[in-house]
Structures are given as structure tokens and as C-alpha cells.
Amino acid sequence: MVGGAVAASLAVSTVIFTLLEHEGAQRLHLPLVRRTREPFDGAEALPGGWIGGDEGLEEAARRTLAETTGLRPSYLEQLYTFGRPDRSPTGRVVSVIYSALVRSPEAARVAEVHNVRWAPVDEVRGLAFDHDEVVAYALWRLRAKVGYAQVAVHLLGETFSLGQLREVHEAVLGRPLDPANFRRRVTASGAVEATDEHLTGGRHRPPRLYRAVVPEGATGPFQTTAGPAA
Amino acid sequence: MVGGAVAASLAVSTVIFTLLEHEGAQRLHLPLVRRTREPFDGAEALPGGWIGGDEGLEEAARRTLAETTGLRPSYLEQLYTFGRPDRSPTGRVVSVIYSALVRSPEAARVAEVHNVRWAPVDEVRGLAFDHDEVVAYALWRLRAKVGYAQVAVHLLGETFSLGQLREVHEAVLGRPLDPANFRRRVTASGAVEATDEHLTGGRHRPPRLYRAVVPEGATGPFQTTAGPAA
DNA sequence: GCAAAAGTGTTCGAGCTACACCCATGT
DNA sequence: ACATGGGTGTAGCTCGAACACTTTTGC
């Protein structure tokens, strides 16, 4: 299976979401890096890089993410592969796009070190290549997924209150949710389990803390919500 | 963005589903081609080939599909990209996998011409590379998708009875469906529209023929059920 | 005591399932 | 006439939306 290969460059880029305080509310942000070479010199782009000769695709996503932003995501899944022949003006580039979530403290830790700007998702425009499109698609997928899969917990720490989890969902979906119904839906789904601890220091009644339950099928050949394990 | 590129070979393969008569019922089948060179010489594999230097990914999928099987799919979407460094014993190959549907007459037309075997989906085993995995994942996705998206119509002709459409769903899901409820669900969804014609020649009351309704958002930048347009 | 979030209960309606039943056709 | 798939009606269940209400804390 060697011989027919063609000279396309293989890249990987990642759309990373996190929650940051913005105008008094938790809102979805993503990190952008400014390009320092042609094409699109000076424009902002998604973090990424070339795929190494001896690494898997997800591995490449993690490596380039660490190199360009220093981030270690708590969730990472393949999103889509873009390969229009004209998407880069300097030659054929096929990009495997990953989608990731990082917890806020991790994002804050990195913000001061690297040349990274955290942009609110709805203010992302004018990115290099077709990255505007990529971001819109990643956001659409995240919003769809938060409805049926346990992804939101990856934006929070080990334990969390149901109010905090609801705020995450609200930030992702961009609309308020009924606290009572949200609580019932989440607890009934079995996706979280109660701990004995409560969150103190708040201004009101201390909420019980919960922990995410690791799904059953996660050890099988396929993660049925994210794609094949390969 | 030239210069860092790495020497990975870029391939495309397609999992194609169609409906064929098998043991008295319509069942899902897919075409396999027998390899005539190393690696996996003599084994069966998914149709595919190398991606050309000046074609899009979907374009490459259509071309290789035509070249190896002669098939023209009525539906085609990107499924997943596989890139484990060791998935081919002869060197690094990254494969973009597409999932396709073809109508039965098209499948029958091609079956006699090319070196293609149509295998019932649940008897597919021992394929080259990681193609067993790929098929299992494609099937899982198709079954999930048939529940919320209008994909089944691509296995039928221009017009069809609701009984035929139900048979398609039953073949995909592998279980019987209540005819009354299926009819109501489909008509209420607005995914099909009634024609004035009826299917004659059957042994019983002639069913009304329906036509698939092209979804609204299909002209926008994204097809919200399949992925970005790019 | 008061404000506000945590947490519980209840009602309502949409949508799905199961199943009874009528309709129209070929044999 | 009758068998069979096409097509309609309907009762019951589940689940989510809306919202009233009680509980527990800080101030």
C-alpha cells in the first residue's frame, strides 16, 4: 500500500472550549493563536500543527495543543476532516479537526504564559483558512451533544453542585434552564452520583456535591458517543 | 504552511450500504473487493484508493468508488478518519472513511460487472486492515441516524409507499416496527409528501406513493445532519 | 426577618406504544 | 368470501415544561 501516495500535507487543529467569566456570567470561550507566517500572517487561527510520522491522530492533537498553548484538555474527540483542495493558498492541506474541553483553572493557568487570546465563541470571526466554519460546526456539535451525552462535566472539577452543572449547560446552550427540571433530569439519568459533602462558603443554602459517573461502555471497543477507539 | 509536511499516505475508503433480498427478506448488504496485492493480499476490504492531488475528499470517495465498484451512491457522508500509525504494516496510512447508501437497482446493475461481493452486514468478518472496526462503527452510526434523520429514503427510488419505507427502517434496525405508528411518525415529521399516484400490481389494496421532501437547511453553509459542507 | 439558592411536588400536554378496527384490492 | 396489507382511531404511558411551594443558609 505504498506507491500511490500523494503529496498532501496532513495537519491537525483543535477547537477548544472552556468557561470564563464575561460580563458577569460564565460564557464559552476558545483560545486563538496569532499566526506569525504566511499564509494569513497576522491573522488568528485555531491551535494546531503538522502530524508526526509516528503518532496517532489524537496523539498529534494533544501534542500540538501542548506546544502551541500549553493546554491539557479533559476531553478530546475527533470532529471532522477538511480537505478542499483550495483551503490553503500555499498548497494542498488536509486537516483533521479535533474538539476539546478544558476546565477553567487549566485555561487560566495557561492564559498568562502563552501567546493565546481567549475569545468568546460568539465573537469569533475572521480566522485564517476555513476556521470560522470549523468553529461554527464544532459549536453546533457541542450544543447537540450536551443534550444527550455527559460532556459538560469535563468543564468542571472532580465534584460540583447541580447548580454549577446547570450553569455549564446554560453557557453552552446560551439560554436559561429550569433548575428543578434540570436537577431531576440529570439525577434520573444516572450520569452523576451524590457525595456526602456540601459546598460551603456560598451566600445561601449549601448545595450537595456530586461526582460524574464513568459510563459503562467506555472500556469497550467503541465509545458509542464519540467514535471508534482507533 | 508548507515545509513541515510529513510523508503520510492519504487514502479514502467507503462503507456502502444497500438493501438486497436475502432469505426472503430485505437485508442490509455492503460491497467488498478482494485485494490483489500486499498487504492483506487475497483478503477482502472496503472499496477505496488514494486521494488525488487536486480533488476534495468527497470527490475522491466518489471517484474511487466508481473505479473499484462502478457504484454511484445516492447518499454520501464523511464518517471518521483513522490514523493509528500501525494500521497498515507497510507504512503510515491515514484513511478518511465515508459512509454511503445506494439504491438496490444500482447495486444489482453493478454486481454482475465488477469483481465485487455483496455481503450481508452481520456476516462481515476478517477484512483487511482495521476495516472490521470501520464497518461496525458505520453500522452503529447508520442505525442511530435512521432514528432522527431522513436517510432511509436514499435506499429507495423517487417514489415509494410507506410500507416500503418501513421495510427499509426494519432492515436497518433489524427489528419489526408497528406499521400504524410508523406511518404517523413519518407523515407528521414532514419528511415525505404524498403524491396522487398509487402503487398497482400488488396483491392487496394499492398503497399511496410518497416522495421525499428535500430539507430546508440543505442550501445553507452546513447540512446540520451530516457535517459541514466543506 | 429577609433574600436567594437548594430541593420537592404537581399539573399539563406532546409524543410514543400497543392494539382494535375499518378499507380496498387480488384471488 | 376471504386473506392481507393499507390506513384510522384511541387509550395509556413516559417524559419534559411550567410553576407553586418548602427548606436552609448568610446577612
Side-chain angles (χ1 to χ4, degrees):
Chain A
M1 206 153 179
V2 257
V6 93
S9 303
L10 245 186
V12 62
S13 293
T14 306
V15 186
I16 312 115
F17 296 107
T18 199
L19 286 180
L20 294 176
E21 193 84 16
H22 186 72
E23 293 169 4
Q26 295 284 320
R27 283 175 59 189
L28 269 187
H29 287 66
L30 48 84
L32 300 173
V33 297
R34 194 161 296 279
R35 291 182 57 81
T36 56
R37 61 180 69 176
E38 291 296 335
F40 298 102
D41 189 13
E44 288 180 315
L46 295 172
W50 302 108
I51 293 175
D54 196 33
E55 61 183 354
L57 300 179
E58 181 175 323
E59 205 177 331
R62 289 188 193 278
R63 178 182 56 77
T64 58
L65 205 49
E67 286 173 5
T68 57
T69 67
L71 287 167
R72 288 167 314 187
S74 51
Y75 179 78
L76 186 65
E77 72 163 339
Q78 189 183 305
L79 184 68
Y80 201 80
T81 299
F82 291 78
R84 274 207 323 262
D86 60 349
R87 55 186 294 276
S88 170
T90 55
R92 177 65 180 280
V93 177
V94 171
S95 284
V96 182
I97 307 289
Y98 276 78
S99 180
L101 303 177
V102 300
R103 311 183 203 281
S104 308
E106 167 83 358
R109 177 181 72 75
V110 151
E112 305 158 9
V113 180
H114 285 78
N115 176 29
V116 171
R117 183 174 81 93
W118 291 89
V121 286
D122 46 2
E123 294 174 19
V124 170
R125 261 181 302 277
L127 300 188
F129 306 103
D130 47 8
H131 287 183
D132 279 1
E133 253 184 276
V134 173
V135 168
Y137 179 54
L139 188 56
W140 177 83
R141 271 264 294 249
L142 176 63
R143 284 184 171 145
K145 200 149 189 169
V146 91
Y148 65 88
Q150 232 26 48
V151 271
V153 293
H154 297 284
L155 290 167
L156 293 169
E158 172 76 10
T159 60
F160 45 85
S161 74
L162 294 186
Q164 291 174 324
L165 184 59
R166 176 173 51 79
E167 282 172 18
V168 173
H169 281 247
E170 289 176 338
V172 169
L173 298 175
R175 62 182 167 87
L177 298 171
D178 185 302
N181 296 329
F182 179 82
R183 146 182 303 276
R184 253 187 304 263
R185 200 160 47 79
V186 167
T187 53
S189 76
V192 297
E193 62 182 8
T195 70
D196 289 337
E197 287 155 73
H198 290 254
L199 180 61
T200 57
R203 278 189 298 275
H204 309 295
R205 172 175 172 177
R208 179 181 289 273
L209 288 174
Y210 290 77
R211 192 195 334 271
V213 172
V214 292
E216 264 306 314
T219 55
F222 294 169
Q223 316 154 249
T224 47
T225 57
Chain B
M1 206 152 178
V2 258
V6 93
S9 304
L10 244 186
V12 62
S13 294
T14 305
V15 185
I16 311 114
F17 296 107
T18 198
L19 286 179
L20 294 176
E21 193 85 17
H22 186 73
E23 294 169 2
Q26 295 284 319
R27 284 175 59 190
L28 270 186
H29 288 65
L30 49 84
L32 300 173
V33 297
R34 194 161 296 279
R35 291 183 57 81
T36 57
R37 63 179 66 176
E38 290 296 337
F40 297 102
D41 190 13
E44 288 181 315
L46 295 173
W50 303 108
I51 294 175
D54 197 33
E55 61 184 353
L57 301 178
E58 181 175 324
E59 203 178 333
R62 290 188 192 278
R63 178 182 55 76
T64 57
L65 205 48
E67 287 174 5
T68 56
T69 67
L71 288 167
R72 287 167 313 188
S74 51
Y75 179 77
L76 185 65
E77 72 162 339
Q78 189 183 305
L79 184 67
Y80 201 79
T81 299
F82 291 78
R84 273 207 324 263
D86 60 349
R87 55 186 292 277
S88 170
T90 55
R92 177 64 179 280
V93 176
V94 171
S95 284
V96 183
I97 307 289
Y98 276 79
S99 180
L101 302 177
V102 301
R103 310 182 204 279
S104 308
E106 168 83 358
R109 177 181 71 75
V110 150
E112 306 158 9
V113 180
H114 285 77
N115 175 30
V116 171
R117 183 175 81 94
W118 290 88
V121 286
D122 46 2
E123 295 174 18
V124 169
R125 261 182 300 277
L127 300 189
F129 306 103
D130 47 9
H131 287 183
D132 279 1
E133 251 183 277
V134 174
V135 168
Y137 180 55
L139 188 56
W140 177 83
R141 271 265 293 249
L142 176 63
R143 284 186 171 143
K145 200 150 190 168
V146 91
Y148 66 88
Q150 231 28 48
V151 270
V153 294
H154 297 283
L155 291 166
L156 294 168
E158 173 76 10
T159 60
F160 45 84
S161 73
L162 294 186
Q164 291 173 326
L165 184 59
R166 177 173 50 79
E167 282 171 19
V168 173
H169 281 248
E170 290 176 339
V172 170
L173 297 175
R175 62 182 167 86
L177 298 172
D178 185 302
N181 296 328
F182 179 82
R183 145 181 303 277
R184 254 187 303 262
R185 199 160 46 80
V186 167
T187 53
S189 77
V192 297
E193 63 182 9
T195 71
D196 290 337
E197 287 155 75
H198 290 255
L199 181 61
T200 56
R203 278 190 297 275
H204 309 294
R205 171 175 172 177
R208 179 181 290 272
L209 289 175
Y210 290 77
R211 191 194 335 269
V213 172
V214 293
E216 265 305 314
T219 56
F222 294 169
Q223 316 154 251
T224 47
T225 56

